[in-house]
Structure formats: C-alpha cells, structure tokens
Amino acid sequence: MTTEKPEPLPDRLALLSDLNAVKYITTGVRSGRESPPYIELARSVAPLPGDGRRLRGEPVRDLIEDVMHLFRDDKPTKADAWLAPRLHATLRLTRREAADEGLWNHLALALAPDYVLWRHLPAQGKDGLPPMVSTNRFRGAHYTQAFSRLWWAAELFRNGSDYRPAVVACGNQDVLNTVLRLDVIDHRPTAQALMRLVEQGLASTGREVNGLAVVVNAAASTLFYDLLAEDDDGYGDALDEWLAGAETAPPVSRRFLPEGPADGPVPEKAVDVLVERFHELFRDALVRGRDTLQE
C-alpha cells in the first residue's frame, strides 16, 4: 500500500468536481497500489474564492500526518474521535462551503489519499480481488466520505464551542454510520439529547444505537422537536468571528480539545425534555438482542 505524501502538496484546498474525481478513483488508487496522478489532477480543479489562510492545505496535511502517527498502533477507527474536532477547528468552513462535495473530493484525492487508505482499507478483498477502499470514501455523501463525515459530525454534535459531545459521537461507529444520516440532528437539542443517551449507556450496542435512531427519526414527523424543545441559535456573529479567527489561530492542540465557534450551548431545558421523551420512546421499542426494557 502506498503511504507516500502527495507531491506536489497543494498550497490551498480547491474544488474537484464529481465528474473529474471519478476519473482518478481507479482500482489501483482504491487498493493503494498506485497514487493519484497529482499533476494531472491539479489541472482539473477550480479555485475556492478568497486568498486568506483559512483554506490552506498545509495545516490540514500536518494534522493528517499526526493522526496517522499517533494511532499507528491502534485500530484506525479509534482515530475518528480524535480527528473530527481537530479537523473542524482547523478547517473553518461555513455550512454552505462544507456542503460542496468538490472540496472533500479534492482533500481526499489531492491532499490525503494515504489517510483514506489507512483509515478505510479493509483487511480482505471480495470475490478474489485485492482489498480496496469503497469509492464513496473518496467521493461520497457527507455521512460516508472519509473527511466530510468527520467534519459534519463535529459540526452537528458539538455543543456550542464544546466538542465533547462530538467526541462521544465519533467514538461510536454506529452513530457515524446511522445517526449522522438523519435530518433530525440538524436540530441541536435533538443531537445533544441523542448523545447524552449514548454517553449514559442507554444505547451502547450497535443494535441499540440503530434502534434509538429509528424511533427518534420516526417520531419526528409527529412530535415536532423544534417546538417541543426550542433552541436559542445565534450562529451568525459567532460564525463570522470563527472564520476571521483563522487568520491568526495557532495550530490546534494535539493534546487538548480545541474550542469551536462560540455560538452558545444548547439550552439545558430543551435537552432534558428530549432526553426524557427519547427514553420513553426507546423503552417501548423492540430492539433485537435486548432482553429487558430500559428503565
């Protein structure tokens, strides 16, 4: 498997369209037998607007090298909870920017394809083929793409500037694989209530996390969580300050959690209301493998 640093390393992140990205996600790249054609790839990108430090490639690349070094003796899945908040704090984006899949295509193919292989290459191949990373880890939806899934998990599960709930989310692969797909977690109290129940151990196994996600998502059509638990979301000014702060911010700490945008924590009362309601919903849910009802 090739683990060489991309050369030349892009100075800045850019946009690589899906149409162009798919040309470079070959079986050789997916299996690690060859690197993407970096020079040719660089001719296929579109620049991002602006010329500030916010979208530089080097800080992101340094972070990727550090995570692969720090977790070299562990299962790569353990790196998610460490990397997600630090990627979010390093790569300061608006949600509109983060919704552009071209940004993540470029990051995965031009800046850190070695990370995608390190994190997502399976131990064995299928149908007699060598092990290969799924295409959607290079180019895919926000809940499957190797970097987008971590950035969005940190964005949706952080509690204001506090990334600790995002660490809980990213420490559970079933949250990343199931809960991150749900539209209801755009509602901050819902996201916080779900993570509190996971942290408390109410839903700890994969089946339990998936079961909790199913009942919470199904009930959203009738319970109207945004009315049941209102959120004081004042993101505008905090986001502007967050983006501007990238010009002078030092590299994120590798030892301590960084701080996210200071848009204020979710109201505790709103979270408490939903924790109680979700507990009731989950208590009555049928979850295969669970012998007793949760009290």
Side-chain angles (χ1 to χ4, degrees):
M1 183 180 77
T2 179
T3 57
E4 295 180 357
K5 182 177 180 178
E7 292 292 349
L9 188 69
D11 292 332
R12 294 178 59 78
L13 293 175
L15 299 175
L16 180 65
S17 70
D18 285 346
L19 186 62
N20 284 321
V22 72
K23 297 188 299 184
Y24 305 115
I25 309 174
T26 63
T27 55
V29 169
R30 292 172 56 204
S31 64
R33 290 183 288 108
E34 60 186 41
S35 298
Y38 297 118
I39 295 176
E40 180 182 346
L41 193 154
R43 299 192 188 105
S44 303
V45 304
L48 283 160
D51 57 0
R53 301 177 60 194
R54 187 166 61 90
L55 298 174
R56 291 181 303 153
E58 184 178 6
V60 180
R61 179 64 209 184
D62 288 345
L63 186 64
I64 297 306
E65 291 184 6
D66 284 347
V67 71
M68 291 191 292
H69 175 74
L70 289 170
F71 290 88
R72 63 190 182 281
D73 297 325
D74 290 318
K75 290 184 178 179
T77 52
K78 292 185 177 181
D80 290 347
W82 185 93
L83 180 57
R86 291 169 175 84
L87 178 66
H88 186 273
T90 298
L91 192 51
R92 302 190 182 195
L93 303 170
T94 66
R95 288 192 175 190
R96 181 184 293 273
E97 290 170 333
D100 193 327
E101 294 181 0
L103 172 70
W104 306 110
N105 295 343
H106 182 256
L107 204 164
L109 283 163
L111 197 74
D114 50 341
Y115 167 83
V116 182
L117 289 164
W118 175 83
R119 171 60 183 85
H120 293 289
L121 188 69
Q124 295 182 334
K126 296 180 180 180
D127 301 324
L129 296 173
M132 285 189 284
V133 173
S134 175
T135 299
N136 63 20
R137 299 302 187 181
F138 287 98
R139 164 192 166 270
H142 75 277
Y143 48 80
T144 57
Q145 204 272 351
F147 295 105
S148 179
R149 66 198 284 268
L150 299 179
W151 192 95
W152 277 106
E155 170 67 11
L156 293 170
F157 290 112
R158 65 182 177 84
N159 189 8
S161 62
D162 184 1
Y163 283 119
R164 285 177 295 178
V167 172
V168 173
C170 295
N172 187 307
Q173 291 300 305
D174 291 288
V175 172
L176 282 175
N177 294 334
T178 302
V179 181
L180 191 59
R181 299 169 181 255
L182 305 180
D183 291 339
V184 292
I185 61 169
D186 283 339
H187 182 235
R188 297 199 309 162
T190 295
Q192 292 307 308
L194 283 168
M195 288 309 96
R196 187 170 297 179
L197 292 174
V198 170
E199 189 172 22
Q200 291 174 354
L202 177 71
S204 55
T205 69
R207 286 174 180 170
E208 289 171 346
V209 170
N210 293 336
L212 178 62
V214 167
V215 296
V216 168
N217 196 53
S221 61
T222 56
L223 290 181
F224 301 105
Y225 297 148
D226 54 341
L227 297 179
L228 187 66
E230 294 186 10
D231 183 17
D232 301 328
D233 188 359
Y235 197 56
D237 292 342
L239 177 60
D240 291 340
E241 294 175 4
W242 171 250
L243 299 178
E247 295 300 312
T248 57
V252 297
S253 173
R254 272 47 171 174
R255 294 184 58 194
F256 305 106
L257 274 180
E259 292 187 355
D263 50 354
V266 178
E268 276 296 311
K269 182 178 180 180
V271 179
D272 291 341
V273 167
L274 290 181
V275 165
E276 182 177 357
R277 183 58 58 92
F278 293 167
H279 196 162
E280 292 173 357
L281 292 170
F282 189 61
R283 181 188 60 200
D284 298 331
L286 295 176
V287 177
R288 189 158 56 94
R290 187 175 62 173
D291 296 329
T292 58
L293 295 179
Q294 303 293 320
E295 300 297 336

